[in-house]
Amino acid sequence: MAENTAAGIAATDERAMRRARRQALIDAGVNPYPITSEVTAHAAELEAQYADLADGADTEDVVSVAGRIRALRKQGKAAFIVLEDVSGSIQLFCRHDVLGDEAWGLLGKLDLGDILGATGAVMRTRRGQLSVSPTALTVLSKSLRPLPEKFHGLTDREVRYRQRYVDLIMNPEVRDVFRKRSRIVSLIRRFMEADGYMEVETPMMHAILGGANAKPFVTHFNALDRDFYLRIATELPLKRLIVGGLERVFEIGRNFRNEGMDLTHNPEFTSMEAYCAYGDLSTMKTLSQDLFKMIAREVCGCEEGHEVITYQGQQIDMSGTWASRPLSEIASECVGEELTMDTPIEHLREICEKNGIEVQPSWGAGKLLFELYDELGEKTIVNPTFVCDYPEEVSPLSKRKAEDPRLTDRFELVIAGHEYANAFSELNDPVDQAGRFAEQVAAKGMGDDEAMGYDYDYVRALEYGMPPAGGIGYGIDRMVMLFCDQPAIRDVLLFPAMKPEAITRADIEAQVAGVVTDNAAASVDAIAADSEKVAAATAEAPAALVAGIDREAALALLAEHNHEEFHLEHGQTVGGVMRVFAEEMDPDNADFWEVVGILHDLDWEEHADDPANHTVYAAELLRAAGASEPLIRAIQSHNSDNNPELPAPELPMEKVLFAVDELTGLIGAAVIMRPSKSVMDFEVKSLKKKFKDKRFAAGCNRDVIRKGAELCGWELDELFSRTIDAMKAIAPDRDTFGK
């Protein structure tokens, strides 16, 4: 991030001093980044080995330790350094008479964060601190950036995720999470191998989209001159191996889905899929119960038969045999009446609409039942539950149930309101599979960009004969969240997806200043031009913005040129939302932000037939009313996509307007479909469904909303959440956003 705050300037000064100390070491003939180093002991080993060493006792045992300097204190002819290594901390008790003048002088060139090696005898001070009394010190890596402030540490989550290396340095509990993650993955692998499964690897790039319903990342394969998809699932390649006679296979690996980010989703994630020939759904239930209970015992310390853990304050009981419940039964509980596949479709639609669930005319009973469960039921489940009997409409790769072919032999494992596994009795009828692929292609033709393609080769594989098989996929990241009690998927990913960082030319210049290379070095400008991450300094709002017109006059002007209730209400809504954002981002100009929101569509009702000149007409009306030029510029900036002659959004206020204008309209359209007609019970999950459905509120431009999020530097889910919260804040007690 651009270092333009007072703290940033101070950090830059500190970096300059550290660079000077680095150079002083070099000038004194000391290489601050030597090739070799020696470590013969770690802190935890020494603590265990010398636990019985008496206070004030010395030994003749010489060890070499190394680690990062976390504390350094001089006291006369003695100095105390705390080194932190991978296992813990050890103190260096440095004495002038033991070190000698040269090594003692080195202490003055050290900083917190430097990586230091020390060789000396093990001892315990009179105060009882186990220590190493070094006879030699070696700088192993000079740290040029200061660590975060000692007492506050690294608490900014954005910085923690982006600079995970600093997060790991400062927060030992974070290191523990990732040690546990590594152990969990290792335990899963050993468990599967012990159960007779063979680990395999399948391609990351697929020519045909399949194995799940998700929007893919697309990449171009130059050698073949065609587009491929980064895999969204490993299912179809693994089932080809079942056809080939590998009876039990599994793969732990990365999948990629070009979708939003939230507490439980990241575009790049780890899953495990496993397939068992001659198995079925009961095989997968047993596998899941045994796997999760084993992890609870090994990682969480549970006793066998009492596998109870706590997740985010909620007790989760994994012991015993887990419940299996039909999806329709859970949906029935939520709506207070029995629902089945035989419930008339019109009645199911009425219940959906009564509960604020938007439906499509093409949906059958199965899809309607699934939506009721998905919106209302899943979040009510606490203890591990196998949710079964999914409709065929939402299960294109699963076998139909013999007793009711409208349902499939499938379950999802749900714990604490979240899905952890998805399992099928795998479809092995090639004719049935071909038909379901054909249905997916039809859905794609109707605008479903998550539908699968027709995989001719997979159907051909089934035509050779695939034995009955059970299959399952687990979300490894969510499993780690559960067993490490972490609230967000980013907390269990070492490098979660982040929006691009705004690095400035000045940031680059600070790093390359004084660099000496063997060959000619590129200029700072050339380096900046070569890096897509480098951006100009962020434009900042002036200290005070004058609108030239107050809120009441703005509302009167809006009413003078707009008579439809929707346009009047939309202006007030955007104005209120802008004010909420301003109170957080630019409180001194909150009045200005609100007036911009009220008047942003001043001329729309009278000139909707000329979208390119939308806001151009408004400029004349605004000047006549005494509005300021900054106000006119701000309003015009939100239509710059339609008219390149208009100013593009630059100020934070202009970017927020661009982002929330279309989005508030989409939220309003979704809210009025709900029984409450209120935004107060509206959730991001519901908005994401409406956003994906291009047929819903088709006039709301999704690309503009995406660009608005990008302009603001927010993930799409963050924009959704913040805008919903802002709309809740401005009208909590009435039919808020539309008739």
Side-chain angles (χ1 to χ4, degrees), residues 68-88:
R68 190 178 299 275
I69 299 176
R70 297 306 304 269
L72 193 160
R73 171 174 60 92
K74 273 190 173 184
Q75 188 174 322
K77 294 293 184 179
F80 302 89
I81 299 175
V82 176
L83 285 191
E84 184 178 70
D85 64 22
V86 70
S87 68

Side-chain angles (χ1 to χ4, degrees), residues 224-294:
L224 298 180
D225 193 23
R226 64 168 294 179
D227 286 344
F228 273 65
Y229 304 105
L230 294 185
R231 70 183 182 194
I232 59 173
T234 56
E235 177 168 350
L236 300 186
L238 289 174
K239 288 198 289 192
R240 285 173 167 90
L241 301 179
I242 297 294
V243 172
L246 302 180
E247 291 191 356
R248 293 190 176 197
V249 295
F250 78 99
E251 180 171 10
I252 299 174
R254 290 294 216 195
N255 290 319
F256 308 85
R257 298 184 181 178
N258 197 356
E259 298 169 349
M261 292 180 281
D262 57 27
L263 289 178
T264 58
H265 293 87
N266 192 72
E268 180 181 358
F269 62 97
T270 301
S271 71
M272 180 181 77
E273 291 196 38
Y275 294 87
C276 178
Y278 311 109
D280 56 18
L281 220 57
S282 63
T283 310
M284 298 299 105
K285 288 181 180 178
T286 301
L287 178 71
S288 299
Q289 286 186 162
D290 292 348
L291 176 61
F292 275 65
K293 289 178 183 179
M294 179 274 295

Side-chain angles (χ1 to χ4, degrees), residues 285 289 317-326 329-330 381 383-388 411-414:
K285 288 181 180 178
Q289 286 186 162
D317 189 351
M318 295 184 178
S319 57
T321 301
W322 295 353
S324 294
R325 302 185 63 197
E329 177 185 296
I330 299 170
I381 298 170
N383 289 327
T385 301
F386 297 116
V387 180
C388 306
F411 73 70
E412 285 191 356
L413 171 59
V414 179

Side-chain angles (χ1 to χ4, degrees), residues 27-333:
D27 293 343
V30 176
N31 181 0
Y33 307 99
I35 294 175
T36 59
S37 58
E38 182 181 21
V39 176
T40 63
H42 287 90
E45 297 167 2
L46 295 176
E47 288 287 354
Q49 185 176 350
Y50 295 96
D52 297 328
L53 187 65
D55 294 353
D58 294 319
T59 75
E60 295 183 358
D61 302 338
V62 176
V63 297
S64 293
V65 296
R68 190 178 299 275
I69 299 176
R70 297 306 304 269
L72 193 160
R73 171 174 60 92
K74 273 190 173 184
Q75 188 174 322
K77 294 293 184 179
F80 302 89
I81 299 175
V82 176
L83 285 191
E84 184 178 70
D85 64 22
V86 70
S87 68
S89 298
I90 186 71
Q91 178 175 271
L92 303 183
F93 178 25
C94 304
R95 291 171 286 192
H96 188 179
D97 58 337
V98 175
L99 276 174
D101 291 340
E102 184 176 344
W104 182 259
L106 180 65
L107 295 178
K109 299 181 180 67
L110 298 178
D111 291 292
L112 297 183
D114 288 353
I115 297 175
L116 185 69
T119 298
V122 179
M123 59 162 302
R124 193 177 293 277
T125 66
R126 287 193 295 272
R127 295 188 177 183
Q129 182 66 52
L130 185 68
S131 304
V132 171
S133 177
T135 55
L137 297 174
T138 305
V139 178
L140 299 176
S141 182
K142 182 65 184 169
S143 170
L144 300 186
R145 284 182 184 261
L147 295 173
E149 200 274 328
K150 177 179 177 182
F151 296 103
H152 298 294
L154 188 65
T155 57
D156 186 305
R157 299 187 80 82
E158 175 83 7
V159 176
R160 284 183 52 207
Y161 297 143
R162 190 180 300 284
Q163 299 180 39
R164 182 66 85 184
Y165 39 88
V166 184
D167 189 25
L168 292 167
I169 292 171
M170 298 304 300
N171 297 316
E173 67 277 8
V174 174
R175 295 199 294 272
D176 290 341
V177 165
F178 289 104
R179 287 192 183 102
K180 284 184 179 179
R181 179 184 176 114
S182 177
R183 190 176 180 211
I184 289 169
V185 173
S186 180
L187 286 168
I188 292 171
R189 184 171 274 116
R190 301 291 85 79
F191 177 91
M192 297 300 292
E193 291 173 342
D195 203 25
Y197 286 82
M198 183 174 83
E199 185 172 12
V200 297
E201 295 176 314
T202 62
M204 288 279 191
M205 296 193 301
H206 291 175
I208 299 170
L209 191 64
N213 290 94
K215 189 173 182 179
F217 287 94
V218 182
T219 186
H220 190 73
F221 194 156
N222 290 335
L224 298 180
D225 193 23
R226 64 168 294 179
D227 286 344
F228 273 65
Y229 304 105
L230 294 185
R231 70 183 182 194
I232 59 173
T234 56
E235 177 168 350
L236 300 186
L238 289 174
K239 288 198 289 192
R240 285 173 167 90
L241 301 179
I242 297 294
V243 172
L246 302 180
E247 291 191 356
R248 293 190 176 197
V249 295
F250 78 99
E251 180 171 10
I252 299 174
R254 290 294 216 195
N255 290 319
F256 308 85
R257 298 184 181 178
N258 197 356
E259 298 169 349
M261 292 180 281
D262 57 27
L263 289 178
T264 58
H265 293 87
N266 192 72
E268 180 181 358
F269 62 97
T270 301
S271 71
M272 180 181 77
E273 291 196 38
Y275 294 87
C276 178
Y278 311 109
D280 56 18
L281 220 57
S282 63
T283 310
M284 298 299 105
K285 288 181 180 178
T286 301
L287 178 71
S288 299
Q289 286 186 162
D290 292 348
L291 176 61
F292 275 65
K293 289 178 183 179
M294 179 274 295
I295 296 173
R297 293 192 297 269
E298 295 293 330
V299 175
C300 303
C302 297
E303 295 181 4
E304 186 168 0
H306 189 70
E307 293 88 357
V308 179
I309 67 172
T310 299
Y311 178 68
Q312 298 299 290
Q314 197 170 37
Q315 184 172 286
I316 309 294
D317 189 351
M318 295 184 178
S319 57
T321 301
W322 295 353
S324 294
R325 302 185 63 197
L327 176 148
S328 59
E329 177 185 296
I330 299 170
S332 299
E333 279 189 2

Side-chain angles (χ1 to χ4, degrees), residues 7 14 24 34 40 494 626 698:
E14 172 68 14
T40 63
L494 280 168

Side-chain angles (χ1 to χ4, degrees), residues 21 42 72 481 507 584 713:
R21 285 191 282 272
H42 287 90
L72 193 160
M481 288 171 60
D507 294 328
E584 176 187 344

Side-chain angles (χ1 to χ4, degrees), residues 287-588:
L287 178 71
S288 299
Q289 286 186 162
D290 292 348
L291 176 61
F292 275 65
K293 289 178 183 179
M294 179 274 295
I295 296 173
R297 293 192 297 269
E298 295 293 330
V299 175
C300 303
C302 297
E303 295 181 4
E304 186 168 0
H306 189 70
E307 293 88 357
V308 179
I309 67 172
T310 299
Y311 178 68
Q312 298 299 290
Q314 197 170 37
Q315 184 172 286
I316 309 294
D317 189 351
M318 295 184 178
S319 57
T321 301
W322 295 353
S324 294
R325 302 185 63 197
L327 176 148
S328 59
E329 177 185 296
I330 299 170
S332 299
E333 279 189 2
C334 292
V335 302
E337 63 175 282
E338 184 178 2
L339 302 176
T340 70
M341 291 292 292
D342 294 317
T343 302
I345 287 179
E346 286 306 318
H347 186 52
L348 289 172
R349 286 177 181 152
E350 289 173 3
I351 295 172
C352 284
E353 291 169 1
K354 180 180 177 182
N355 286 277
I357 300 171
E358 174 72 10
V359 302
Q360 298 298 331
S362 61
W363 290 358
K367 175 65 170 173
L368 294 167
L369 274 173
F370 171 77
E371 288 294 320
L372 285 166
Y373 159 75
D374 191 49
E375 288 278 357
L376 307 176
E378 185 178 74
K379 60 190 175 187
T380 67
I381 298 170
V382 178
N383 289 327
T385 301
F386 297 116
V387 180
C388 306
D389 297 351
Y390 276 72
E392 183 272 336
E393 289 175 71
V394 295
S395 308
L397 295 170
S398 181
K399 270 189 176 177
R400 290 181 170 91
K401 293 179 74 70
E403 59 271 27
D404 187 346
R406 297 171 298 177
L407 301 176
T408 59
D409 209 33
R410 170 189 177 189
F411 73 70
E412 285 191 356
L413 171 59
V414 179
I415 306 172
H418 297 294
E419 172 201 341
Y420 287 84
N422 190 13
F424 301 141
S425 286
E426 298 299 334
L427 180 61
N428 60 346
D429 179 345
V431 177
D432 191 355
Q433 182 65 79
R436 299 205 207 176
F437 277 155
E439 291 173 355
Q440 288 287 298
V441 174
K444 189 183 293 287
M446 295 174 64
D448 185 351
D449 56 6
E450 295 186 355
M452 300 184 207
Y454 188 91
D455 193 332
Y456 171 84
D457 179 70
Y458 180 68
V459 175
R460 179 171 59 186
L462 293 185
E463 288 174 336
Y464 282 96
M466 184 175 91
I472 193 164
Y474 298 95
I476 298 295
D477 305 311
R478 290 190 188 181
M479 290 174 69
V480 176
M481 288 171 60
L482 178 69
F483 289 110
C484 294
D485 193 17
Q486 295 299 307
I489 193 169
R490 289 182 173 187
D491 294 316
V492 299
L493 299 176
L494 280 168
F495 301 103
M498 303 289 291
K499 61 181 180 288
E501 184 179 10
I503 300 170
T504 68
R505 183 186 183 282
D507 294 328
I508 291 176
E509 189 169 24
Q511 285 192 336
V512 301
V515 168
V516 178
T517 64
D518 293 334
N519 301 306
S523 67
V524 172
D525 288 335
I527 295 170
D530 188 56
S531 174
E532 63 180 73
K533 290 185 177 181
V534 176
T538 303
E540 296 189 12
L545 292 168
V546 177
I549 183 172
D550 63 18
R551 181 180 186 276
E552 295 307 314
L555 290 171
L557 185 61
L558 180 68
E560 181 181 343
H561 294 279
N562 292 269
H563 305 290
E564 292 183 17
E565 184 177 359
F566 171 79
H567 291 146
L568 296 172
E569 186 171 302
H570 180 62
Q572 292 182 60
T573 297
V574 176
V577 167
M578 290 289 288
R579 185 173 193 91
V580 172
F581 276 96
E583 286 168 354
E584 176 187 344
M585 300 170 64
D586 187 16
D588 291 340

